[in-house]
Amino acid sequence: MRERRLAEPGAAEAYDAARLAFELGRSVRELRERRGWSQAQLATASGMTQSAVVRFEAGGTVPTLPVLERLAAALNVRLKVGFEAGDAVA
């Protein structure tokens, strides 16, 4: 069933976007928890709403670069964005 769904037009791209959103959210949640912060504290420090932090950490949104930069600054980490060689076909 999964292979059939991924073969549909646009499905692989949507799956990759959802995976990326989930991974980014998980990373931010781990950084926040290491600081001992609540979602509300991160929201205040990053200029976001608590509900936006909740959605982001759950992988419910694909963030813009400015949002990632605000989160990185609030968490006192460096944002690194790049490309890696892979099996992607153009």
Side-chain angles (χ1 to χ4, degrees), residues 10-34:
E13 292 84 1
Y15 176 82
D16 285 340
R19 180 189 49 76
L20 178 60
F22 176 79
E23 290 174 3
L24 287 167
R26 182 184 61 210
S27 295
V28 167
R29 184 186 70 242
E30 289 171 359
L31 289 165
R32 175 183 59 77
E33 288 174 346
R34 274 190 237 146

Side-chain angles (χ1 to χ4, degrees), residues 49-71:
T49 64
Q50 182 177 357
S51 61
V53 170
V54 170
R55 278 192 309 276
F56 179 84
E57 287 187 358
T61 61
V62 177
T64 62
L65 285 174
V67 167
L68 292 174
E69 289 171 336
R70 287 198 327 254
L71 288 165

